[in-house]
Amino acid sequence: MDMTADTSDLFGASSPSSDIAPRQTSSGQGRRSAPRTQPLADRLRPTRLEDVRGQEHLLAEDGTLTRMLSRGTLPSLILWGGPGCGKTTIARLLASQAGLFYAQLSAVFSGVADLRKAFEEADKRLDSTGKGTLLFVDEIHRFNRTQQDSFLPYVERGTVVLVGATTENPSFALNSALLSRCQVLVLNRLDDAALEGLLTHAEQLTERTLPLTREGRASLRAMADGDGRYLLNMVEQLLTLTTQEDARHLGPQELAKVLARRPVLYDRDREEHYNLISALHKSLRGSDPDAALYWFARMLEGGEDPRYIARRLVRFAAEDIGEADPSSLPLAQAAAQAYERLGSPEGEVPLAQAVVHMAVASKSNGVYAGYKAARALAKKTGSLIPPAHIRNAPTGLMKDLGYGEGYEYDHNHEDGVSGQNYFPDGMERVQLYHPVNRGFEERIIKRLDMLAQKRASRQS
């Protein structure tokens, strides 16, 4: 199948067949000719779908994409995954496997005119050859709503099979009309085994053994943080910095001096921000101080504002701990104030103390649940007025109308409790606060039982 005629076009990308035309290398694997400046990551780009690492759930014998291709149809897709996990490679190989022309756009550099031209070219190909076009759009989430809508008629007609790549959650980054016409496939970050496979492949291709100790090799994989492209770029730097005759084998500390660690993936206004604060909140709720400290540190390393974390700790103290440990709320507030006084990095230690305290404290959402139930009840009951005996009576007229009449001063009663009714007249008493049998709320349960007996004794 010849697909070379059309695909070195305006998209700046060649067809799958011309882009990955094989040649024999010294390692015995089919590869295309590579210029001297071609990055190692591109030289190692797989030429078959089954050679793509780390995405077995999509590309294994029973994988999602494998089943799609076996049925002879390829729907429009959104490939969602982090950097360096194989989105571009998979798109190129899907075009070849499905017998489609391959065209590529980047949403970073393209506008409406580029999209219009892409669709026109795809229409011409379909008319002249009867073959469709796989249009790969990198960073598709960067297109605005109008640009995303422009795909719809061409996807529906089958002029193009759209394969969009995004590092952002499609639920937030893409509009619903486009999502309804595409299947979203999640690509995994590369695990340790997949990264080690890339290292081995790189050593075979370059015929060089990486000058690393066992621990140094593990550290190199950790520095990549699941990004295969970044790993291979570091390999290239490492091979440039060392010679074949260099007898040194670098450990983690030596490696850190010559290579930069990949920055932590974290966007303070994107999905990862919400994922990590959710992980911190749920680790606190689950009473796991070690996991809570880890997610706290992850957020700080990603550049999160410690004030945001401090606010969330104050909220957590009231929402998930409440009266089970009443000291938690003032401690959270004190930690927030300490951060304001000390700043970073000293002020982060009091926040860490608050994280540990919240994690190990007894938990109760009784106050939070009671508050929500009270709000719902207030909306349901409308404008019922307080009973007369607890209404304020600042004037003689109000006293004559019975305001405050019959009120009993609780401090004058045994245990400081009169047992009077404080709900509106005619409204059944409702229990909104349900303490748990943990922490300080154990004592609260006993007191509530005593109060209930007091009220019951007045009715008998």
Side-chain angles (χ1 to χ4, degrees):
M1 177 174 56
D2 181 15
M3 293 186 284
T4 60
D6 278 87
T7 51
S8 56
D9 53 11
L10 71 148
F11 307 109
S14 54
S15 71
S17 58
S18 63
D19 188 45
I20 54 176
R23 72 173 179 85
Q24 287 300 117
T25 65
S26 57
S27 61
Q29 299 189 9
R31 302 299 302 171
R32 59 190 171 91
S33 299
R36 293 175 60 88
T37 57
Q38 186 181 20
L40 180 62
D42 198 51
R43 291 158 58 198
L44 285 174
R45 194 181 294 277
T47 60
R48 303 181 306 167
L49 281 170
E50 52 266 39
D51 292 335
V52 176
R53 301 176 189 274
Q55 311 303 335
E56 287 75 14
H57 63 297
L58 300 178
L59 301 172
E61 188 173 345
D62 60 344
T64 304
L65 282 173
T66 305
R67 293 198 303 271
M68 288 179 182
L69 292 169
S70 67
R71 292 194 296 266
T73 59
L74 184 66
S76 289
L77 305 169
I78 301 297
L79 304 180
W80 174 26
C85 65
K87 298 185 293 294
T88 303
T89 295
I90 289 174
R92 291 181 178 179
L93 297 178
L94 281 175
S96 178
Q97 192 82 12
L100 300 169
F101 289 99
Y102 178 80
Q104 180 172 337
L105 283 172
S106 171
V108 178
F109 303 108
S110 305
V112 174
D114 301 294
L115 287 173
R116 187 179 298 114
K117 191 171 183 181
F119 299 139
E120 290 173 357
E121 291 291 331
D123 266 329
K124 290 178 184 177
R125 294 191 194 100
L126 189 61
D127 290 340
S128 61
T129 67
K131 294 179 182 178
T133 296
L134 186 150
L135 177 59
F136 176 63
V137 181
D138 199 16
E139 304 282 341
I140 192 171
H141 59 274
R142 295 184 182 272
F143 278 141
N144 62 33
R145 179 175 293 273
T146 300
Q147 292 169 319
Q148 291 179 29
D149 284 342
S150 67
F151 288 103
L152 303 182
Y154 298 95
V155 170
E156 288 177 345
R157 290 204 305 265
T159 305
V160 297
V161 172
L162 173 65
V163 177
T166 179
T167 57
E168 303 292 337
N169 188 328
S171 300
F172 306 133
L174 303 180
N175 68 41
S176 57
L178 183 58
L179 280 178
S180 69
R181 291 161 174 81
C182 301
Q183 292 194 34
V184 177
L185 301 181
V186 180
L187 275 69
N188 297 328
R189 67 190 297 277
L190 300 190
D191 60 18
D192 211 49
L195 293 173
E196 177 58 33
L198 285 179
L199 292 181
T200 302
H201 193 185
E203 289 176 322
Q204 292 171 349
L205 180 70
T206 61
E207 298 181 343
R208 297 271 304 276
T209 300
L210 293 173
L212 300 170
T213 65
R214 184 175 181 178
E215 294 77 12
R217 198 175 180 97
S219 180
L220 183 66
R221 297 193 300 268
M223 291 169 72
D225 195 20
D227 185 333
R229 185 188 304 107
Y230 193 83
L231 177 75
L232 294 175
N233 288 343
M234 288 193 295
V235 167
E236 200 160 23
Q237 293 179 55
L238 191 60
L239 293 177
T240 301
L241 292 170
T242 59
T243 64
Q244 186 73 354
E245 294 75 25
D246 196 335
R248 290 186 308 151
H249 281 70
L250 307 179
Q253 293 183 345
E254 296 85 359
L255 191 63
K257 293 178 181 179
V258 297
L259 295 177
R261 179 177 290 271
R262 184 180 182 275
V264 176
L265 286 180
Y266 189 76
D267 289 314
R268 285 168 54 178
D269 60 345
R270 302 285 178 86
E271 189 204 7
E272 195 65 14
H273 163 83
Y274 298 103
N275 284 341
L276 265 61
I277 193 59
S278 176
L280 173 59
H281 198 114
K282 290 179 173 65
S283 299
L284 292 170
R285 184 182 294 153
S287 299
D288 190 333
D290 300 310
L293 279 174
Y294 170 74
W295 294 117
F296 170 67
R298 275 283 302 274
M299 295 185 77
L300 292 178
E301 287 297 314
E304 182 58 73
D305 184 353
R307 294 177 180 85
Y308 171 77
I309 301 175
R311 290 195 298 272
R312 291 297 296 241
L313 291 175
V314 172
R315 173 188 171 182
F316 183 88
E319 181 178 319
D320 281 276
I321 296 177
E323 286 299 281
D325 185 348
S327 68
S328 295
L329 183 55
L331 177 69
Q333 291 176 312
Q337 291 171 354
Y339 178 78
E340 293 297 337
R341 180 64 180 254
L342 298 174
S344 292
E346 292 88 349
E348 292 159 8
V349 178
L351 293 179
Q353 179 185 350
V355 166
V356 172
H357 178 91
M358 305 292 168
V360 300
S362 298
K363 307 294 192 302
S364 171
N365 71 341
V367 172
Y368 179 61
Y371 164 69
K372 291 199 299 182
R375 289 290 298 269
L377 184 61
K379 290 179 182 178
K380 180 180 178 182
T381 55
S383 302
L384 296 177
I385 60 175
H389 68 279
I390 61 171
R391 292 182 216 163
N392 191 30
T395 69
L397 174 63
M398 297 170 83
K399 288 179 182 178
D400 292 342
L401 291 173
Y403 282 35
E405 184 177 348
Y407 174 66
E408 299 178 20
Y409 192 54
D410 290 85
H411 292 290
N412 293 336
H413 287 262
E414 185 181 359
D415 298 320
V417 178
S418 68
Q420 284 188 294
N421 175 55
Y422 300 101
F423 276 94
D425 291 331
M427 177 180 171
E428 274 190 43
R429 180 176 184 82
V430 180
Q431 184 177 359
L432 299 172
Y433 172 47
H434 296 272
V436 298
N437 195 27
R438 294 188 293 273
F440 186 76
E441 284 194 332
E442 287 183 299
R443 296 169 59 183
I444 293 177
I445 290 174
K446 294 178 182 178
R447 178 159 178 81
L448 290 180
D449 289 342
M450 181 272 289
L451 296 173
Q453 291 173 14
K454 285 273 189 179
R455 284 189 291 269
S457 67
R458 292 182 65 97
Q459 297 172 359
S460 57

